[in-house]
Amino acid sequence: MKYYDDLRSFIDALDAMGDIMHVTREVDCDFEPSAITRRSYEIQSPAPLFHHITGVESGFRLFGAPASLSSRSDMPYARVAMSLGLAPESTGLEIVEALSAARHKPGIPPVRVESAAAPCQQNILRGEQATLDRFPIPFAHDKDGGRYANTWGTLIVKTPDGKWVNWSIARVMKVDGKRMVGLIVPSQHIGQIWAEWVKIGEPMPYALVQGPAPAISCVSGIPIPAHADEADYIGTLAGAPVEVVKAVSIDLDVPATAEIVIEGHVSITRDCQEGPYGEYGGYLGSGSSAQPTFHVETITYRDDPIWPMSITGRPTDESHTLWAMGLAADALTYLREAELPVKAAWIPEDSTVHWLLIVMPENWRELLPGVSSEELSQRIGEVLFKTSAMVFIPKVYVVDDDFDPTNLREVVWVLSTRVHPVGRRAVFEDQRVIRLPQCYEEEEYVAGKGAKVVFDTLQTTRHLHASFEQGYPQEVRQRILDNW
């Protein structure tokens, strides 16, 4: 296993295993990089690295699909695993377990280095020179409200008293060279911190970090508890502290090896229209909303910087790999803390983060004597739907462990044959609903309330599968395999 402390060493490692597609011809920055990246997701090709983009300084590059499925069929989750310092052949369930396990280990705080040792400050732009127009920011989709300056970068903010520092991913749209507008959801951690600045009537300092160490981007995109510092959690995953440097113009520390850092302040009112944007559910956006303005004041960057991007849409992109694994790890952590003997949790990529599978071991009834499967499903829903991350999940399936939950073909077979048409489900009415899940009615989005459900698919008696593995004697199977 190896931890990559900057984006460049990670790209080199992917390149060495044949998982980078070098796009050396000049591409039009409007749509070509995004369209190529989107197609790379849909055909599971190597990740595209764009070397020549029309209208920007020579040497500036774009990198697409940083944590999607690998083009290597023998290690499909390699990009996510390697980002987190895990072996490239790690399975999806192993990644979820690692993310959950790290929640229970002591955090390793970051260490500050001097500016001279920080590659992210090799070049410094101030005042009118600090303009987004210098950088290759494409339209993600042709129906979007503008060019999206953040799809895979880390936003760094902290509370006015400095006690809580938050690193997160949120979509941010470019307005012009000096302004951006970002989606700030009140219930999310960045929204909670922004609200504290609004209370005291002062604009919130922010740093938007493009291309830090891959683990930073990944952890910024998954749920961890409020008031926990992502930097400390990343240190735990890496086994060493993250190196940070003081930002040039604001009182924040930023990752020292980042490619680009944008510094400034966020307005205290929702004074600019953001959106629409094509989201992870797989549909192009159709609406916009008033959101705070991110004013650009200073930009620092490495020589020949690389701007990473995630072009969300139909499966499979970073929303359906990394973010889904993070949500599954969050669910797994809370259920085990509630002393429920859950074996695994998994969100199938093709469900676009609308299904969560909770896998129970064969002996769960022995571990929970006197508890029926209906009662277990009710308990699972009561635990999960109290957590903030589960606002994104409308449907939970409690399943046996007699199949591979990461194999979509097996998932469809199990859900088709074990979900009762009418009964065996726990329905939770009046749960919090936001617009990102795509399965609700307009009146439910307006009210912010809707139903969520836990389906009980657990078998009373385990049935043998009509399969090669379970349908024939072992000696027959072995003879066939030996002569295949």
Side-chain angles (χ1 to χ4, degrees):
M1 296 189 295
K2 175 178 171 55
Y3 176 75
Y4 299 95
D5 62 4
D6 73 349
L7 181 62
R8 300 181 184 205
S9 60
F10 173 70
I11 290 174
D12 288 344
L14 293 182
D15 204 9
M17 56 188 278
D19 200 28
I20 293 291
M21 175 172 63
H22 292 275
V23 182
T24 55
R25 68 175 178 85
E26 184 173 308
V27 293
D28 186 322
C29 193
D30 281 349
F31 295 112
E32 275 196 280
S34 301
I36 292 169
T37 300
R38 180 102 290 277
R39 186 167 192 267
S40 80
Y41 292 130
E42 295 174 11
I43 67 172
Q44 207 169 324
S45 81
L49 179 63
F50 302 92
H51 294 266
H52 300 290
I53 302 101
T54 302
V56 297
E57 187 177 327
S58 177
F60 285 22
R61 291 165 287 172
L62 278 168
F63 177 48
S68 184
L69 293 175
S70 170
S71 61
R72 290 281 300 268
S73 60
D74 57 331
M75 47 182 73
Y77 301 108
R79 292 182 206 168
V80 177
M82 292 165 65
S83 294
L84 298 170
L86 302 173
E89 62 272 15
S90 298
T91 67
L93 294 179
E94 287 170 342
I95 295 170
V96 170
E97 286 285 352
L99 291 171
S100 179
R103 296 262 288 261
H104 297 99
K105 297 178 181 177
I108 300 177
V111 295
R112 184 185 283 185
V113 300
E114 296 299 319
S115 179
C120 71
Q121 294 181 353
Q122 288 174 333
N123 303 274
I124 300 175
L125 304 174
R126 295 182 173 89
E128 292 306 311
Q129 294 297 311
T131 173
L132 298 173
D133 294 335
R134 297 175 64 102
F135 296 91
I137 304 174
F139 284 93
H141 320 90
D142 72 348
K143 299 294 190 295
D144 288 351
R147 300 177 187 273
Y148 269 79
N150 194 47
T151 56
W152 193 242
T154 293
L155 281 164
I156 300 178
V157 299
K158 67 180 178 181
T159 52
D161 61 11
K163 293 182 179 179
W164 180 16
V165 179
N166 177 240
W167 293 11
S168 66
I169 293 179
R171 72 190 202 202
V172 179
M173 188 181 83
K174 177 184 175 183
V175 178
D176 54 38
K178 299 296 292 181
R179 293 180 301 157
M180 302 179 289
V181 56
L183 180 64
I184 293 188
V185 179
S187 60
Q188 293 182 335
H189 294 170
I190 189 172
Q192 295 171 33
I193 293 174
W194 179 70
E196 293 196 27
W197 288 94
V198 172
K199 283 180 185 177
I200 65 172
E202 294 182 17
M204 178 176 70
Y206 79 91
L208 174 53
V209 180
Q210 299 291 351
I216 295 174
S217 300
C218 287
V219 170
S220 299
I222 66 174
I224 66 172
H227 300 280
D229 285 352
E230 285 80 5
D232 295 9
Y233 179 75
I234 294 160
T236 300
L237 291 171
V242 175
E243 289 191 348
V244 296
V245 63
K246 188 179 185 307
V248 170
S249 61
I250 52 175
D251 184 25
L252 289 172
D253 286 340
V254 299
T257 63
E259 295 288 328
I260 302 159
V261 179
I262 302 165
E263 303 173 11
H265 289 79
V266 182
S267 65
I268 61 172
T269 58
R270 297 182 184 271
D271 51 6
C272 193
Q273 288 296 118
E274 185 273 336
Y277 179 71
E279 267 290 358
Y280 69 90
Y283 301 94
L284 292 173
S286 58
S288 64
S289 62
Q291 299 294 339
T293 300
F294 288 64
H295 295 278
V296 177
E297 296 159 12
T298 304
I299 301 176
T300 72
Y301 62 95
R302 295 181 69 159
D303 294 337
D304 298 329
I306 304 171
W307 189 297
M309 58 182 183
S310 173
I311 308 301
T312 51
R314 285 174 54 175
T316 303
D317 57 54
E318 287 73 20
S319 299
H320 317 121
T321 54
L322 182 278
W323 183 47
M325 291 180 190
L327 290 173
D330 193 67
L332 185 65
T333 302
Y334 282 115
L335 290 172
R336 286 178 174 169
E337 288 177 352
E339 299 184 344
L340 294 175
V342 174
K343 183 173 182 178
W346 184 252
I347 295 174
E349 293 106 31
D350 291 270
S351 77
T352 61
V353 199
H354 284 61
W355 295 355
L356 169 64
L357 307 185
I358 301 300
V359 184
M360 300 302 297
E362 185 170 8
N363 67 338
W364 73 265
R365 288 179 175 84
E366 298 171 23
L367 299 172
L368 295 173
V371 175
S372 68
S373 63
E374 292 85 353
E375 291 169 329
L376 174 62
S377 298
Q378 181 71 29
R379 282 196 200 177
I380 286 172
E382 289 170 354
V383 172
L384 291 181
F385 296 141
K386 289 178 183 176
T387 67
S388 59
M390 289 301 108
V391 70
F392 298 101
I393 303 292
K395 303 161 193 170
V396 177
Y397 297 85
V398 186
V399 298
D400 290 300
D401 65 351
D402 62 337
F403 73 105
D404 178 3
T406 69
N407 183 318
L408 185 64
R409 177 178 292 177
E410 295 189 28
V411 170
V412 172
W413 169 65
V414 164
L415 299 190
S416 299
T417 58
R418 301 181 190 176
V419 173
H420 190 277
V422 179
R424 297 189 62 194
R425 68 193 67 190
V427 179
F428 294 78
E429 302 285 358
D430 295 325
Q431 298 297 305
R432 190 162 65 90
V433 164
I434 60 176
R435 285 193 175 270
L436 289 173
Q438 298 287 322
C439 55
Y440 292 100
E441 302 293 342
E442 180 61 25
E443 54 266 29
E444 293 173 303
Y445 292 124
V446 172
K449 297 287 185 180
K452 301 198 173 191
V453 62
V454 180
F455 291 94
D456 169 16
T457 78
L458 296 168
Q459 303 168 91
T460 304
T461 301
R462 290 286 183 107
H463 297 285
L464 289 176
H465 304 172
S467 64
F468 177 77
E469 188 64 28
Q470 294 188 18
Y472 306 93
Q474 193 277 332
E475 64 271 16
V476 173
R477 300 199 310 271
Q478 190 59 54
R479 184 163 65 248
I480 289 170
L481 293 173
D482 291 342
N483 292 282
W484 188 253

